[in-house]
Amino acid sequence: MSFQKVDVFTLMDDVKDFVFLDNYKEVCTSDSLYNSVKLTLIYTFFCIVFQFTIGFLLALLFKQETASYRFMRALLLIPYIIPPTVTAIVFKFFFSVKGGILNEILLMTGAVDSRIEWLLAPKIAMASVIIANIWSGIPFNMILLSTGLTNIPDELYESADIDGANTIQKLVHITIPCLESSIKAVLVLGVVYTFRCFELIYVMTAGGPVNGTEIMTIYSYKTSFVKYNFAQGAVISNILFVILFFIGLIYIQMINKEEEVM
């Protein structure tokens, strides 16, 4: 489809014009593509950094196999099992200008003098959708890292205690090296999952305001089903596929190197 002229006028034609790379040239020379790539990278970077950091700290906090900690881990899974669309609706209400929980709390505590337009200003809207995605992605990081923590032998920590190592030294020299495989898997899968995020942003902002949250998936959807330029929408999807394909290749190479070392 990306090599043909396919829009609302030609969609049902049996034979469509073959335009070769014209669609790719038009998409790659447009400012909209570079804006969507930039926003995708910003969105992915901040989501991954905060999801991983908070998930890692929670995994360390709840690594003990007691009944209360297992209960807390189960509670923390709730954001992950909630569908992205529901999460988006909840956060859309949370960030509402009038009646939104966050604005009401900030006004009551005197933190702000006027209501903040969380989803109506481009930069603040991007921060808002990042916060929503961080909230839903933390359990994924926590569970995978918790699984890695359970595989670290207690004898290593006991030996470190005998040698007089403190908590930071045990974290740096035992926990993180032993979690290297889990950390790589969490980061790569997190990048892939965040790169293809769609429902959460579309429900909260639909890519607005002023394209301020129009990441590549939203850009592809709007090009195909709002502007009805299906061929160029396919081009954007193909570019996204290539990026994720190379990320997958990097992950496979990392796994192969680890297997060779073992």
Coordinates of all heavy atoms in Angstrom, one line a residue, residues 9-101:
F9 N -10.4 8.5 -2.4 CA -11.0 8.4 -3.7 C -10.6 7.2 -4.5 O -11.3 6.8 -5.4 CB -10.5 9.7 -4.5 CG -10.9 11.0 -3.9 CD1 -10.0 11.8 -3.3 CD2 -12.3 11.4 -3.9 CE1 -10.4 13.0 -2.7 CE2 -12.7 12.6 -3.4 CZ -11.7 13.4 -2.7
T10 N -9.5 6.6 -4.1 CA -8.9 5.4 -4.8 C -9.0 4.1 -4.0 O -8.6 3.1 -4.5 CB -7.5 5.7 -5.3 OG1 -6.7 5.8 -4.1 CG2 -7.4 6.9 -6.1
L11 N -9.5 4.2 -2.8 CA -9.5 3.0 -1.9 C -10.2 1.8 -2.5 O -9.7 0.7 -2.4 CB -10.1 3.4 -0.6 CG -10.1 2.3 0.5 CD1 -8.7 1.8 0.9 CD2 -10.9 2.7 1.7
M12 N -11.3 2.0 -3.2 CA -12.1 0.9 -3.7 C -11.7 0.6 -5.1 O -12.4 -0.3 -5.7 CB -13.6 1.3 -3.6 CG -14.1 1.6 -2.2 SD -13.7 0.3 -1.0 CE -14.8 -1.0 -1.6
D13 N -10.8 1.3 -5.7 CA -10.4 1.0 -7.1 C -9.7 -0.4 -7.1 O -8.9 -0.7 -6.3 CB -9.4 2.0 -7.6 CG -10.1 3.4 -7.8 OD1 -11.4 3.4 -7.7 OD2 -9.4 4.4 -8.1
D14 N -10.0 -1.2 -8.2 CA -9.3 -2.5 -8.4 C -7.9 -2.3 -8.7 O -7.0 -3.1 -8.2 CB -10.0 -3.2 -9.5 CG -11.5 -3.6 -9.1 OD1 -11.7 -3.8 -7.9 OD2 -12.3 -3.7 -10.0
V15 N -7.5 -1.3 -9.5 CA -6.1 -1.1 -9.8 C -5.7 0.3 -9.3 O -6.4 1.3 -9.7 CB -5.9 -1.2 -11.3 CG1 -4.4 -0.9 -11.7 CG2 -6.3 -2.5 -11.8
K16 N -4.7 0.4 -8.5 CA -4.3 1.7 -7.9 C -3.0 2.1 -8.6 O -2.1 1.3 -8.9 CB -4.1 1.6 -6.4 CG -5.4 1.2 -5.7 CD -5.2 1.0 -4.2 CE -6.5 0.6 -3.6 NZ -7.1 -0.7 -4.1
D17 N -2.8 3.4 -8.7 CA -1.5 3.9 -9.3 C -0.3 3.5 -8.4 O -0.3 3.7 -7.2 CB -1.6 5.5 -9.4 CG -2.7 5.9 -10.4 OD1 -3.0 5.1 -11.2 OD2 -3.1 7.1 -10.3
F18 N 0.7 3.0 -9.1 CA 2.0 2.7 -8.5 C 2.9 4.0 -8.5 O 3.3 4.4 -9.5 CB 2.7 1.6 -9.2 CG 4.0 1.1 -8.6 CD1 4.0 0.4 -7.4 CD2 5.2 1.5 -9.1 CE1 5.2 0.0 -6.8 CE2 6.4 1.1 -8.5 CZ 6.4 0.3 -7.4
V19 N 3.2 4.5 -7.3 CA 3.9 5.7 -7.2 C 5.3 5.5 -6.6 O 6.1 6.5 -6.4 CB 3.2 6.8 -6.3 CG1 1.9 7.2 -7.0 CG2 3.0 6.2 -4.9
F20 N 5.7 4.3 -6.4 CA 7.0 3.9 -5.9 C 7.3 4.6 -4.6 O 6.6 4.4 -3.6 CB 8.1 4.1 -7.0 CG 9.4 3.4 -6.7 CD1 9.4 2.2 -6.1 CD2 10.6 4.1 -7.0 CE1 10.7 1.6 -5.8 CE2 11.8 3.5 -6.7 CZ 11.8 2.2 -6.1
L21 N 8.4 5.5 -4.6 CA 8.8 6.1 -3.3 C 8.2 7.5 -3.1 O 8.6 8.2 -2.2 CB 10.3 6.2 -3.3 CG 11.1 4.8 -3.3 CD1 12.6 5.1 -3.4 CD2 10.7 4.1 -2.0
D22 N 7.3 7.9 -3.9 CA 6.7 9.3 -3.7 C 6.1 9.5 -2.3 O 6.3 10.5 -1.7 CB 5.6 9.5 -4.8 CG 6.3 9.7 -6.2 OD1 7.5 9.7 -6.2 OD2 5.5 9.9 -7.1
N23 N 5.4 8.5 -1.8 CA 4.8 8.6 -0.5 C 5.9 8.7 0.6 O 5.7 9.5 1.5 CB 3.9 7.4 -0.2 CG 2.6 7.4 -1.0 OD1 2.0 8.5 -1.2 ND2 2.2 6.2 -1.5
Y24 N 6.9 8.0 0.4 CA 8.0 8.0 1.4 C 8.7 9.4 1.4 O 9.1 10.0 2.4 CB 9.1 6.9 1.1 CG 8.6 5.6 1.6 CD1 7.8 4.8 0.7 CD2 8.9 5.1 2.8 CE1 7.4 3.5 1.1 CE2 8.4 3.8 3.3 CZ 7.7 3.1 2.4 OH 7.2 1.8 2.8
K25 N 8.9 9.9 0.1 CA 9.6 11.3 0.0 C 8.7 12.3 0.6 O 9.2 13.2 1.4 CB 9.8 11.6 -1.5 CG 10.8 10.7 -2.2 CD 10.9 11.1 -3.7 CE 11.9 10.2 -4.4 NZ 11.9 10.5 -5.9
E26 N 7.4 12.3 0.4 CA 6.5 13.3 1.0 C 6.5 13.2 2.5 O 6.5 14.3 3.2 CB 5.1 13.1 0.4 CG 4.2 14.3 0.7 CD 3.0 14.3 -0.2 OE1 2.9 13.6 -1.2 OE2 2.0 15.0 0.1
V27 N 6.4 12.0 3.0 CA 6.3 11.9 4.5 C 7.7 12.3 5.1 O 7.7 13.0 6.1 CB 6.0 10.4 4.9 CG1 6.2 10.2 6.4 CG2 4.6 10.1 4.5
C28 N 8.8 11.8 4.5 CA 10.1 12.1 5.1 C 10.5 13.5 5.0 O 11.5 13.9 5.8 CB 11.1 11.2 4.5 SG 10.9 9.4 4.9
T29 N 9.9 14.3 4.1 CA 10.3 15.7 4.0 C 9.3 16.6 4.8 O 9.4 17.8 4.7 CB 10.3 16.1 2.5 OG1 9.1 15.8 1.9 CG2 11.5 15.4 1.8
S30 N 8.4 16.0 5.5 CA 7.4 16.8 6.2 C 7.8 17.1 7.6 O 8.5 16.3 8.2 CB 6.0 16.1 6.2 OG 6.1 15.0 7.0
D31 N 7.5 18.3 8.1 CA 7.9 18.6 9.5 C 7.1 17.7 10.5 O 7.6 17.5 11.6 CB 7.6 20.1 9.8 CG 8.5 21.0 9.0 OD1 9.6 20.5 8.6 OD2 8.1 22.1 8.7
S32 N 5.9 17.3 10.1 CA 5.1 16.5 11.0 C 5.8 15.2 11.4 O 5.6 14.8 12.6 CB 3.7 16.2 10.3 OG 3.0 17.3 10.1
L33 N 6.5 14.6 10.5 CA 7.2 13.3 10.8 C 8.3 13.6 11.9 O 8.4 12.8 12.9 CB 7.8 12.7 9.6 CG 8.6 11.4 9.9 CD1 7.7 10.3 10.4 CD2 9.4 11.0 8.7
Y34 N 9.1 14.6 11.7 CA 10.1 14.9 12.6 C 9.6 15.3 14.0 O 10.1 15.0 15.0 CB 11.1 16.0 12.0 CG 11.8 15.5 10.8 CD1 11.5 15.9 9.6 CD2 12.9 14.6 11.0 CE1 12.1 15.4 8.4 CE2 13.6 14.2 9.9 CZ 13.2 14.6 8.6 OH 13.9 14.1 7.5
N35 N 8.4 16.0 13.9 CA 7.8 16.4 15.2 C 7.3 15.1 15.9 O 7.5 15.0 17.2 CB 6.6 17.3 14.9 CG 5.9 17.7 16.2 OD1 6.4 18.3 17.1 ND2 4.6 17.3 16.3
S36 N 6.7 14.2 15.2 CA 6.2 13.0 15.8 C 7.4 12.1 16.4 O 7.3 11.5 17.4 CB 5.3 12.2 14.9 OG 6.1 11.6 13.8
V37 N 8.5 12.0 15.6 CA 9.6 11.2 16.1 C 10.2 11.8 17.3 O 10.5 11.1 18.3 CB 10.7 11.1 14.9 CG1 12.0 10.5 15.5 CG2 10.2 10.3 13.8
K38 N 10.3 13.2 17.3 CA 10.9 13.9 18.5 C 10.0 13.6 19.7 O 10.5 13.3 20.8 CB 11.0 15.4 18.2 CG 11.6 16.2 19.4 CD 11.5 17.7 19.1 CE 10.1 18.2 19.2 NZ 10.0 19.6 19.0
L39 N 8.7 13.8 19.5 CA 7.8 13.6 20.7 C 7.8 12.1 21.1 O 7.7 11.8 22.3 CB 6.4 14.0 20.3 CG 6.2 15.5 20.0 CD1 4.7 15.8 19.5 CD2 6.5 16.3 21.2
T40 N 7.9 11.2 20.2 CA 8.0 9.7 20.6 C 9.2 9.5 21.4 O 9.1 8.7 22.4 CB 8.0 8.9 19.3 OG1 6.9 9.1 18.5 CG2 8.0 7.4 19.7
L41 N 10.3 10.0 21.0 CA 11.6 9.8 21.8 C 11.5 10.5 23.2 O 11.9 9.9 24.2 CB 12.8 10.4 21.0 CG 13.1 9.7 19.7 CD1 14.2 10.5 19.0 CD2 13.6 8.3 19.9
I42 N 10.9 11.7 23.2 CA 10.8 12.3 24.5 C 9.8 11.5 25.4 O 10.1 11.3 26.6 CB 10.2 13.8 24.3 CG1 11.2 14.7 23.7 CG2 9.8 14.4 25.7 CD1 10.7 16.0 23.3
Y43 N 8.7 11.1 24.9 CA 7.7 10.3 25.6 C 8.3 9.0 26.1 O 8.2 8.7 27.3 CB 6.5 10.1 24.7 CG 5.4 9.2 25.3 CD1 4.5 9.8 26.2 CD2 5.2 7.9 24.9 CE1 3.5 9.0 26.7 CE2 4.2 7.2 25.4 CZ 3.3 7.7 26.3 OH 2.3 7.0 26.8
T44 N 9.0 8.3 25.2 CA 9.6 7.0 25.6 C 10.7 7.2 26.6 O 10.8 6.4 27.6 CB 10.2 6.4 24.3 OG1 9.2 6.2 23.4 CG2 10.8 5.0 24.7
F45 N 11.6 8.2 26.5 CA 12.7 8.4 27.4 C 12.2 8.6 28.8 O 12.6 7.9 29.8 CB 13.5 9.6 26.9 CG 14.6 9.9 27.9 CD1 15.8 9.2 28.0 CD2 14.5 11.0 28.8 CE1 16.8 9.5 28.9 CE2 15.5 11.3 29.7 CZ 16.7 10.6 29.7
F46 N 11.3 9.6 29.0 CA 10.9 9.9 30.4 C 10.0 8.8 31.0 O 10.1 8.5 32.2 CB 10.1 11.2 30.4 CG 11.0 12.4 30.3 CD1 11.1 13.1 29.1 CD2 11.7 12.9 31.3 CE1 11.9 14.2 28.9 CE2 12.6 13.9 31.2 CZ 12.7 14.6 30.0
C47 N 9.2 8.1 30.1 CA 8.4 7.0 30.7 C 9.3 5.9 31.2 O 9.1 5.3 32.3 CB 7.5 6.5 29.6 SG 6.1 7.5 29.2
I48 N 10.3 5.5 30.3 CA 11.2 4.4 30.7 C 12.0 4.8 31.9 O 12.2 3.9 32.8 CB 12.1 4.1 29.5 CG1 11.3 3.5 28.3 CG2 13.2 3.1 29.9 CD1 10.6 2.3 28.6
V49 N 12.6 6.0 32.0 CA 13.4 6.4 33.1 C 12.6 6.3 34.4 O 13.1 5.6 35.4 CB 14.0 7.8 32.9 CG1 14.6 8.3 34.3 CG2 15.0 7.8 31.8
F50 N 11.4 6.8 34.5 CA 10.7 6.8 35.7 C 10.1 5.5 36.0 O 10.0 5.0 37.2 CB 9.6 7.9 35.7 CG 10.2 9.3 35.9 CD1 10.4 10.1 34.8 CD2 10.5 9.8 37.1 CE1 11.0 11.4 35.0 CE2 11.0 11.0 37.3 CZ 11.3 11.8 36.2
Q51 N 9.6 4.8 35.0 CA 9.0 3.5 35.2 C 10.0 2.5 35.8 O 9.8 1.8 36.7 CB 8.4 2.9 33.9 CG 7.1 3.5 33.5 CD 6.6 3.0 32.2 OE1 7.3 2.2 31.5 NE2 5.4 3.3 31.8
F52 N 11.2 2.5 35.2 CA 12.3 1.6 35.6 C 12.8 2.0 37.0 O 12.9 1.1 37.9 CB 13.5 1.6 34.7 CG 14.6 0.8 35.1 CD1 14.6 -0.6 34.9 CD2 15.7 1.4 35.7 CE1 15.6 -1.3 35.4 CE2 16.8 0.6 36.2 CZ 16.7 -0.8 36.0
T53 N 13.0 3.3 37.3 CA 13.5 3.7 38.6 C 12.5 3.3 39.7 O 12.9 2.7 40.7 CB 13.8 5.2 38.6 OG1 14.7 5.5 37.5 CG2 14.5 5.6 39.9
I54 N 11.3 3.7 39.5 CA 10.3 3.5 40.6 C 10.0 2.0 40.7 O 9.9 1.4 41.8 CB 9.0 4.2 40.3 CG1 9.3 5.7 40.2 CG2 7.9 3.9 41.3 CD1 8.1 6.6 39.8
G55 N 9.9 1.3 39.5 CA 9.7 -0.2 39.6 C 10.9 -0.9 40.3 O 10.6 -1.9 41.0
F56 N 12.1 -0.5 40.0 CA 13.3 -1.1 40.7 C 13.2 -0.9 42.2 O 13.5 -1.8 43.0 CB 14.5 -0.5 40.1 CG 15.8 -1.1 40.6 CD1 16.0 -2.5 40.4 CD2 16.8 -0.4 41.2 CE1 17.2 -3.1 40.9 CE2 17.9 -0.9 41.7 CZ 18.1 -2.3 41.5
L57 N 12.9 0.3 42.6 CA 12.8 0.6 44.1 C 11.7 -0.2 44.7 O 11.9 -0.7 45.8 CB 12.6 2.1 44.3 CG 13.8 3.1 43.8 CD1 13.4 4.5 44.0 CD2 15.0 2.7 44.7
L58 N 10.6 -0.3 44.1 CA 9.5 -1.1 44.6 C 9.8 -2.6 44.7 O 9.5 -3.3 45.6 CB 8.2 -0.9 43.8 CG 7.6 0.5 44.0 CD1 6.4 0.6 43.0 CD2 7.1 0.7 45.4
A59 N 10.6 -3.1 43.7 CA 11.0 -4.5 43.7 C 11.9 -4.7 44.8 O 11.8 -5.8 45.5 CB 11.7 -4.8 42.4
L60 N 12.8 -3.8 45.1 CA 13.7 -4.0 46.3 C 12.9 -3.9 47.6 O 13.2 -4.7 48.5 CB 14.8 -2.9 46.3 CG 15.8 -2.9 45.1 CD1 16.7 -1.7 45.2 CD2 16.7 -4.2 45.3
L61 N 12.0 -3.0 47.6 CA 11.2 -2.8 48.9 C 10.3 -4.0 49.2 O 10.2 -4.4 50.4 CB 10.3 -1.6 48.7 CG 9.4 -1.2 49.9 CD1 10.3 -0.8 51.1 CD2 8.5 0.0 49.6
F62 N 9.7 -4.6 48.2 CA 8.8 -5.7 48.4 C 9.3 -7.1 48.0 O 8.6 -8.0 47.6 CB 7.5 -5.5 47.6 CG 6.7 -4.3 48.1 CD1 6.6 -3.2 47.3 CD2 6.2 -4.2 49.4 CE1 6.0 -2.0 47.7 CE2 5.5 -3.1 49.8 CZ 5.4 -2.0 49.0
K63 N 10.7 -7.3 48.1 CA 11.2 -8.5 47.7 C 11.1 -9.6 48.7 O 11.2 -10.8 48.4 CB 12.7 -8.4 47.3 CG 13.6 -8.1 48.5 CD 15.1 -8.0 48.0 CE 16.0 -7.8 49.2 NZ 17.4 -7.7 48.8
Q64 N 10.8 -9.3 49.9 CA 10.6 -10.3 51.0 C 9.3 -11.1 50.8 O 8.3 -10.5 50.4 CB 10.6 -9.6 52.3 CG 11.9 -9.0 52.7 CD 11.9 -8.4 54.1 OE1 11.2 -8.8 54.9 NE2 12.7 -7.3 54.3
E65 N 9.4 -12.4 50.9 CA 8.2 -13.2 50.7 C 7.3 -13.4 51.9 O 7.1 -14.5 52.5 CB 8.7 -14.6 50.2 CG 9.2 -14.6 48.8 CD 8.2 -14.2 47.8 OE1 7.0 -14.5 48.0 OE2 8.5 -13.5 46.8
T66 N 6.8 -12.3 52.4 CA 5.9 -12.3 53.6 C 4.5 -12.1 53.0 O 4.3 -11.6 51.9 CB 6.3 -11.3 54.6 OG1 6.1 -10.0 54.0 CG2 7.7 -11.4 55.1
A67 N 3.5 -12.4 53.8 CA 2.1 -12.3 53.4 C 1.7 -10.8 53.1 O 1.1 -10.5 52.1 CB 1.2 -12.9 54.5
S68 N 2.2 -9.9 54.0 CA 1.9 -8.5 53.8 C 2.5 -8.0 52.5 O 1.9 -7.2 51.8 CB 2.3 -7.7 55.0 OG 3.7 -7.8 55.2
Y69 N 3.8 -8.4 52.2 CA 4.4 -7.9 51.0 C 3.8 -8.5 49.8 O 3.7 -7.8 48.7 CB 5.9 -8.2 51.1 CG 6.7 -7.3 52.0 CD1 6.1 -6.2 52.7 CD2 8.1 -7.4 52.2 CE1 6.8 -5.4 53.5 CE2 8.8 -6.5 53.0 CZ 8.1 -5.5 53.7 OH 8.8 -4.7 54.5
R70 N 3.4 -9.8 49.9 CA 2.7 -10.4 48.7 C 1.4 -9.6 48.4 O 1.0 -9.4 47.3 CB 2.5 -11.8 48.9 CG 3.7 -12.7 48.8 CD 3.3 -14.2 48.6 NE 2.7 -14.7 49.8 CZ 3.4 -15.3 50.8 NH1 4.7 -15.4 50.7 NH2 2.8 -15.7 51.9
F71 N 0.7 -9.2 49.5 CA -0.5 -8.5 49.3 C -0.3 -7.1 48.7 O -1.0 -6.7 47.8 CB -1.2 -8.3 50.7 CG -2.5 -7.5 50.6 CD1 -3.6 -8.0 50.1 CD2 -2.5 -6.2 51.1 CE1 -4.8 -7.3 50.0 CE2 -3.7 -5.5 51.1 CZ -4.8 -6.0 50.5
M72 N 0.8 -6.5 49.1 CA 1.1 -5.2 48.6 C 1.5 -5.3 47.1 O 1.1 -4.4 46.3 CB 2.3 -4.5 49.4 CG 1.9 -4.1 50.7 SD 0.6 -2.8 50.7 CE 1.4 -1.5 49.8
R73 N 2.2 -6.3 46.8 CA 2.6 -6.5 45.3 C 1.4 -6.8 44.5 O 1.3 -6.3 43.4 CB 3.6 -7.7 45.2 CG 5.0 -7.5 45.6 CD 6.0 -8.4 44.9 NE 5.7 -9.8 45.3 CZ 6.3 -10.4 46.3 NH1 7.2 -9.8 47.0 NH2 6.0 -11.7 46.6
A74 N 0.4 -7.5 45.0 CA -0.8 -7.7 44.3 C -1.6 -6.4 44.0 O -2.1 -6.2 43.0 CB -1.7 -8.7 45.0
L75 N -1.6 -5.6 45.1 CA -2.3 -4.3 44.9 C -1.6 -3.4 43.8 O -2.2 -2.7 43.1 CB -2.3 -3.5 46.3 CG -3.3 -3.9 47.3 CD1 -3.1 -3.0 48.5 CD2 -4.7 -3.8 46.8
L76 N -0.2 -3.5 43.8 CA 0.5 -2.6 42.9 C 0.3 -3.1 41.4 O 0.7 -2.4 40.5 CB 2.0 -2.6 43.3 CG 2.3 -1.9 44.5 CD1 3.8 -2.1 45.0 CD2 2.1 -0.4 44.3
L77 N -0.2 -4.3 41.3 CA -0.4 -4.9 39.9 C -1.7 -4.3 39.3 O -1.9 -4.4 38.1 CB -0.6 -6.4 40.0 CG 0.7 -7.2 39.9 CD1 0.4 -8.7 40.1 CD2 1.5 -6.9 38.7
I78 N -2.5 -3.7 40.1 CA -3.8 -3.2 39.6 C -3.6 -2.2 38.4 O -4.3 -2.4 37.3 CB -4.6 -2.5 40.7 CG1 -5.1 -3.6 41.7 CG2 -5.8 -1.7 40.1 CD1 -5.8 -3.0 42.9
P79 N -2.7 -1.2 38.4 CA -2.6 -0.3 37.3 C -2.2 -1.1 36.0 O -2.6 -0.6 34.9 CB -1.4 0.6 37.7 CG -1.4 0.6 39.2 CD -1.8 -0.8 39.6
Y80 N -1.5 -2.2 36.1 CA -1.1 -2.9 34.9 C -2.2 -3.7 34.3 O -2.2 -3.9 33.0 CB 0.1 -3.9 35.3 CG 0.7 -4.6 34.1 CD1 1.4 -3.9 33.1 CD2 0.6 -6.0 33.9 CE1 1.9 -4.5 32.0 CE2 1.2 -6.6 32.8 CZ 1.8 -5.9 31.9 OH 2.3 -6.5 30.8
I81 N -3.1 -4.2 35.1 CA -4.2 -5.0 34.5 C -5.4 -4.2 34.0 O -6.3 -4.7 33.4 CB -4.7 -6.1 35.5 CG1 -5.2 -5.4 36.8 CG2 -3.6 -7.0 35.9 CD1 -5.8 -6.4 37.8
I82 N -5.4 -2.9 34.4 CA -6.5 -2.0 33.9 C -6.2 -1.7 32.4 O -5.1 -1.3 32.1 CB -6.5 -0.7 34.7 CG1 -6.9 -1.0 36.2 CG2 -7.5 0.3 34.1 CD1 -6.9 0.2 37.1
P83 N -7.2 -1.8 31.6 CA -7.0 -1.5 30.1 C -6.6 -0.1 29.9 O -7.0 0.8 30.7 CB -8.4 -1.7 29.6 CG -9.1 -2.7 30.5 CD -8.6 -2.4 31.9
P84 N -5.7 0.2 29.0 CA -5.2 1.5 28.7 C -6.3 2.6 28.5 O -6.2 3.7 28.9 CB -4.3 1.4 27.5 CG -4.0 -0.1 27.5 CD -5.1 -0.8 28.1
T85 N -7.4 2.1 27.9 CA -8.5 3.1 27.7 C -9.1 3.6 29.0 O -9.4 4.7 29.1 CB -9.6 2.4 26.8 OG1 -9.0 1.9 25.6 CG2 -10.6 3.4 26.4
V86 N -9.3 2.6 29.9 CA -9.8 3.0 31.2 C -8.9 3.9 32.0 O -9.3 4.9 32.6 CB -10.2 1.7 32.0 CG1 -10.7 2.1 33.4 CG2 -11.1 0.8 31.3
T87 N -7.6 3.5 31.9 CA -6.6 4.4 32.5 C -6.6 5.8 32.0 O -6.5 6.8 32.7 CB -5.2 3.8 32.3 OG1 -5.1 2.5 32.9 CG2 -4.1 4.6 33.0
A88 N -6.8 5.9 30.7 CA -6.8 7.2 30.0 C -8.0 8.0 30.5 O -7.9 9.2 30.8 CB -6.8 7.0 28.5
I89 N -9.2 7.4 30.6 CA -10.4 8.1 31.0 C -10.2 8.6 32.5 O -10.6 9.7 32.8 CB -11.6 7.2 30.9 CG1 -11.9 6.9 29.4 CG2 -12.8 7.8 31.6 CD1 -12.9 5.8 29.2
V90 N -9.6 7.7 33.3 CA -9.4 8.1 34.7 C -8.5 9.3 34.8 O -8.8 10.3 35.6 CB -8.8 6.9 35.5 CG1 -8.4 7.3 36.9 CG2 -9.9 5.8 35.6
F91 N -7.4 9.2 34.1 CA -6.4 10.4 34.2 C -6.9 11.6 33.5 O -6.6 12.7 33.9 CB -5.1 9.9 33.6 CG -4.1 9.3 34.6 CD1 -4.1 7.9 34.8 CD2 -3.3 10.1 35.3 CE1 -3.3 7.4 35.7 CE2 -2.5 9.5 36.3 CZ -2.5 8.1 36.5
K92 N -7.8 11.4 32.5 CA -8.4 12.6 31.8 C -9.3 13.4 32.8 O -9.3 14.6 32.9 CB -9.3 12.2 30.6 CG -9.7 13.3 29.7 CD -10.3 12.7 28.5 CE -10.6 13.9 27.5 NZ -11.3 13.4 26.3
F93 N -10.0 12.6 33.7 CA -10.8 13.2 34.7 C -9.9 13.8 35.8 O -10.1 14.9 36.3 CB -11.7 12.2 35.4 CG -12.5 12.7 36.6 CD1 -13.5 13.6 36.4 CD2 -12.1 12.3 37.8 CE1 -14.1 14.1 37.6 CE2 -12.8 12.7 39.0 CZ -13.8 13.7 38.8
F94 N -8.8 13.1 36.1 CA -7.8 13.5 37.1 C -7.2 14.9 36.8 O -7.0 15.7 37.6 CB -6.7 12.5 37.2 CG -5.7 12.7 38.3 CD1 -6.0 12.5 39.6 CD2 -4.5 13.1 38.0 CE1 -5.1 12.7 40.6 CE2 -3.5 13.4 39.0 CZ -3.8 13.1 40.3
F95 N -7.0 15.1 35.4 CA -6.3 16.3 35.0 C -7.3 17.3 34.5 O -6.9 18.3 33.9 CB -5.3 16.0 33.9 CG -4.1 15.3 34.3 CD1 -3.7 14.0 33.8 CD2 -3.2 15.9 35.3 CE1 -2.6 13.4 34.3 CE2 -2.1 15.2 35.7 CZ -1.7 14.0 35.2
S96 N -8.6 17.1 34.7 CA -9.6 18.1 34.1 C -9.3 19.5 34.8 O -9.0 19.6 35.9 CB -11.0 17.6 34.5 OG -11.3 16.5 33.8
V97 N -9.6 20.5 34.0 CA -9.4 21.9 34.4 C -10.4 22.2 35.5 O -10.1 22.7 36.6 CB -9.5 22.9 33.3 CG1 -9.4 24.3 33.8 CG2 -8.5 22.6 32.2
K98 N -11.7 21.9 35.3 CA -12.8 22.2 36.2 C -13.2 20.8 36.8 O -13.7 19.9 36.1 CB -13.9 22.9 35.6 CG -13.6 24.3 35.2 CD -14.8 25.0 34.6 CE -14.5 26.4 34.2 NZ -15.6 27.1 33.6
G99 N -13.1 20.7 38.1 CA -13.6 19.4 38.8 C -12.5 18.4 38.8 O -12.8 17.3 39.4
G100 N -11.4 18.6 38.2 CA -10.3 17.6 38.2 C -9.7 17.5 39.6 O -9.5 18.5 40.3
I101 N -9.4 16.2 40.0 CA -9.0 16.0 41.4 C -7.6 16.8 41.7 O -7.5 17.4 42.7 CB -8.8 14.5 41.6 CG1 -10.1 13.8 41.5 CG2 -8.1 14.2 43.0 CD1 -10.0 12.3 41.5

